[in-house]
Amino acid sequence: MTTRLLDAIRQRPLLGDGAMGTQLMLAGLEQGNCGEEWNLTHPDKVLAIQRRYAAAGSDCILTNTFGGSRIMLNRHGNAEKVAEINEAGVRIAREAFGGRPGFVIGDIGPFGGLMEPFGEFKEADVLAAFREQAKALVDAGADAIIIETQTSLEELGLGITAAKEAGAACVIGSLAYDVTLDGSTFRTMMGVDPERAAEFLEERGADVIALNCGTGMDMERARQAVARYRAVTNLPVMAQPNAGQPRLVNMKVVYDETPEQMCTGVKPLLAAGASIVGACCGSTPDHIRAFRREMDEFIHENQTV
Ligand SMILES: [Zn+2]
């Protein structure tokens, strides 16, 4: 029996996964190299990371396809492998669950540039790239598509359109907010605030409104973003904050928030109305295991008899 993701989150909150990029680096991927290509060249390493998330209790695993659009893959000479890389991404994530129920969320990140008139990319080319990637992910059996780490509504809108056209059963739109210099609020690099993003996503027909990554967006800021989403929309909300702030130590980016620190924010996030909680850059299977414990306690404490 298969339950759809949107039906599942009506029953109980779901646990997402943690970082992929920083885990791939730990597994030997060099900065600047194509992590998505590892779906073909090192599938065992990608699978090992995702198995650790599944073992930690993730209900949802994102495919290793963040930079899997033609425009991103072209930078690594992999433009002709879009279908192959995305299909492999879905297959590996599914395999990570080892036959137990779990949701594979097809991951689409930013195309990595600016559109006209600010940059050189034509809107039609960006839409075509998202369409191609979304179709590959859906055809391979992804349960949902997430368009994530988005900062502009124009690009986000193209991703949502592409995912819906591809026939995704669930479309998630996720924005990356940065805390403002004075610390009073947060908005995306392109100046979008959570209320505007939620209204826009609802208009475009997204099924879940999300936030991920961002600068200074700790668990408390993520809780605030969830609350602000919930104040303007009834759609389910997903949150994947980073494991604290990135710092450069010996030319390596490190994230400071331990699983013990970060997991204290899980229950407040759920109480604010988050339906899916995962984590972004710097988080590890240990963070997700700690999240699992908190989420299970929350579900238990809030069970209606
Ligand atoms: Zn991130």
Side-chain angles (χ1 to χ4, degrees), residues 11-73:
Q11 309 300 317
R12 63 178 175 92
L14 297 179
L15 183 64
D17 64 2
M20 174 53 74
T22 42
Q23 289 290 304
L24 286 173
M25 302 267 187
L26 285 174
L29 176 72
E30 295 197 23
Q31 188 99 43
N33 285 6
C34 183
E36 292 75 17
E37 190 182 16
W38 275 32
N39 292 345
L40 305 179
T41 58
H42 301 76
D44 51 324
K45 297 211 166 163
V46 177
L47 178 61
I49 293 166
Q50 292 182 328
R51 273 197 174 136
R52 287 199 285 278
Y53 283 127
S58 293
D59 300 304
C60 310
I61 290 181
L62 270 63
T63 57
N64 177 38
T65 56
F66 180 85
S69 66
R70 175 172 291 264
I71 298 170
M72 287 293 276
L73 291 177

Side-chain angles (χ1 to χ4, degrees), residues 145 147 230:
I145 296 278
I147 318 293
R230 296 291 296 163

Side-chain angles (χ1 to χ4, degrees), residues 98-152:
R100 79 162 164 92
F103 297 101
V104 172
I105 302 183
D107 190 9
I108 299 181
F111 77 90
L114 291 174
M115 285 188 285
E116 292 175 339
F118 306 105
E120 54 183 308
F121 290 91
K122 290 190 196 322
E123 186 180 301
D125 293 339
V126 175
L127 179 58
F130 284 154
R131 274 183 175 142
E132 181 184 28
Q133 186 181 8
K135 183 177 186 321
L137 292 166
V138 171
D139 288 355
D143 299 301
I145 296 278
I146 186 167
I147 318 293
E148 70 168 355
T149 324
Q150 293 292 318
T151 59
S152 96

Side-chain angles (χ1 to χ4, degrees), residues 19-20 22 66 148-149 176 212-214 240-243 255 279-283:
M20 174 53 74
T22 42
F66 180 85
E148 70 168 355
T149 324
N212 73 289
C213 217
Q240 308 175 96
N242 288 345
Y255 288 81
C280 201
C281 300
S283 61

